[in-house]
């Protein structure tokens, strides 16, 4: 992935808001033979690290014990547009819009049931704040069986890479036309895509210049 400045210049507060708004993220580890392993998981993000849990025998958990360097990725796919919304002739103007945050991390895996409980409490506070379950305890027979199979994983963020690809390479007039076309077309994610492009007009770079017009 190419991280042009005009896609990557996103305020830190907006990056954090976006990450916290997403419900699942992708963890990528590397196996013993160099094969990447990928999984999609619920998570908690505290601004410095990502917490999630894995089954102890999951290949990603096994990878992290030996090779702790990994990537955790959060994205929002907003959709694609046809080239003629931008150019009457140049087919290369067709493109896709998305928001993506990639955390390069170092992971730790802890199998102690008490640590897993502590993490699960944080997970439930995010995903099920209304309660509706018996309090977690590593001594409770209701939970003991599951806790003996799970591991708490913490991914310490070492580098953050951002790409909010939202037509910042187009001048404001072109972006406004794309916004109008998205709202007119009305596919399921088009309204969110239009809102995202409007955000660039309000707070993002106004114009990346003519050299970026076809990227």
């Amino acid at each position: 992935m190419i991280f042009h400045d005009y896609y990557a210049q996103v305020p830190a507060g907006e990056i954090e808001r976006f990450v916290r708004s997403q419900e699942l993220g992708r963890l990528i580890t590397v196996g013993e033979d160099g094969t990447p392993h990928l999984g999609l998981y619920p998570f908690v993000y505290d601004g410095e690290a990502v917490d999630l849990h894995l089954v102890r025998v999951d290949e990603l958990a096994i990878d992290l014990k030996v090779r702790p360097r990994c990537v955790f990725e959060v994205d929002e796919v907003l959709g694609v547009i046809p080239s003629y919304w931008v150019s009457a002739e140049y087919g290369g103007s067709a493109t896709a819009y998305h928001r993506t945050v990639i955390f390069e991390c170092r992971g730790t895996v802890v199998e102690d049931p008490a640590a897993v409980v502590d993490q699960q409490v944080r997970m439930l506070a995010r995903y099920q704040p209304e309660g509706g379950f018996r309090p977690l305890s590593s001594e409770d027979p209701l939970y003991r069986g599951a806790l003996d199979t799970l591991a708490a994983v913490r991914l310490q963020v070492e580098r953050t890479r951002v790409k909010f690809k939202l037509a910042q390479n187009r001048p404001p007039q072109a972006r406004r036309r794309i916004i109008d076309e998205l709202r007119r077309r009305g596919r399921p994610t088009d309204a969110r895509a239009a809102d995202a492009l409007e955000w660039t007009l309000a707070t993002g770079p106004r114009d990346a210049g003519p050299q970026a017009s076809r990227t």
Side-chain angles (χ1 to χ4, degrees):
M1 184 182 291
I2 297 175
F3 295 86
H4 294 300
D5 287 347
Y6 45 86
Y7 294 144
Q9 292 172 351
V10 180
E14 180 63 19
I15 296 170
E16 182 155 330
R17 184 210 64 77
F18 168 73
V19 172
R20 292 179 185 274
S21 74
Q22 301 304 300
E23 295 194 336
L24 297 174
R26 294 173 177 83
L27 174 62
I28 300 100
T29 62
V30 179
E32 184 177 5
D33 64 354
T35 301
H37 294 143
L38 171 66
L40 187 65
Y41 304 102
F43 67 96
V44 174
Y45 175 62
D46 66 9
E48 297 181 355
V50 174
D51 280 310
L52 55 89
H53 67 274
L54 297 172
V55 175
R56 296 179 189 179
V57 295
D58 189 313
E59 59 189 2
L60 284 85
I62 294 169
D63 291 345
L64 287 173
K65 289 179 181 180
V66 182
R67 289 165 294 279
R69 293 195 65 192
C70 59
V71 166
F72 189 78
E73 187 258 8
V74 178
D75 65 58
E76 179 184 35
V77 177
L78 294 169
V80 299
I81 67 164
S83 62
Y84 50 80
W85 285 6
V86 176
S87 170
E89 296 183 348
Y90 180 59
S93 295
T95 194
Y97 297 134
H98 62 90
R99 287 186 271 218
T100 301
V101 177
I102 297 173
F103 295 125
E104 297 177 4
C105 305
R106 184 167 294 273
T108 57
V109 180
V110 179
E111 297 180 353
D112 175 61
V116 177
V117 165
D118 287 343
Q119 188 191 70
Q120 290 300 298
V121 168
R122 294 194 298 276
M123 296 282 285
L124 285 164
R126 179 188 178 193
Y127 289 94
Q128 196 174 323
E130 72 276 14
F133 54 88
R134 195 154 91 193
L136 277 71
S137 168
S138 60
E139 303 303 320
D140 189 333
L142 178 65
Y143 295 111
R144 186 70 201 191
L147 292 173
D148 286 342
T149 69
L150 297 177
V153 177
R154 185 165 177 84
L155 310 175
Q156 190 67 40
V157 177
E158 297 183 338
R159 184 187 184 194
T160 301
R161 308 188 77 187
V162 179
K163 186 170 186 177
F164 280 25
K165 190 171 185 289
L166 303 171
Q168 298 97 318
N169 59 324
R170 305 290 177 196
Q173 182 177 357
R175 273 181 262 176
R176 292 189 185 99
R177 180 189 174 186
I178 295 168
I179 290 166
D180 289 344
E181 295 286 1
L182 284 165
R183 296 202 186 282
R184 186 177 299 112
R185 185 172 68 178
R187 290 180 182 174
T189 61
D190 281 352
R192 284 194 294 119
D195 290 344
L197 267 66
E198 286 185 343
W199 171 83
T200 72
L201 293 172
T203 62
R206 290 294 193 269
D207 189 350
Q211 295 299 317
S213 64
R214 290 188 174 182
T215 59

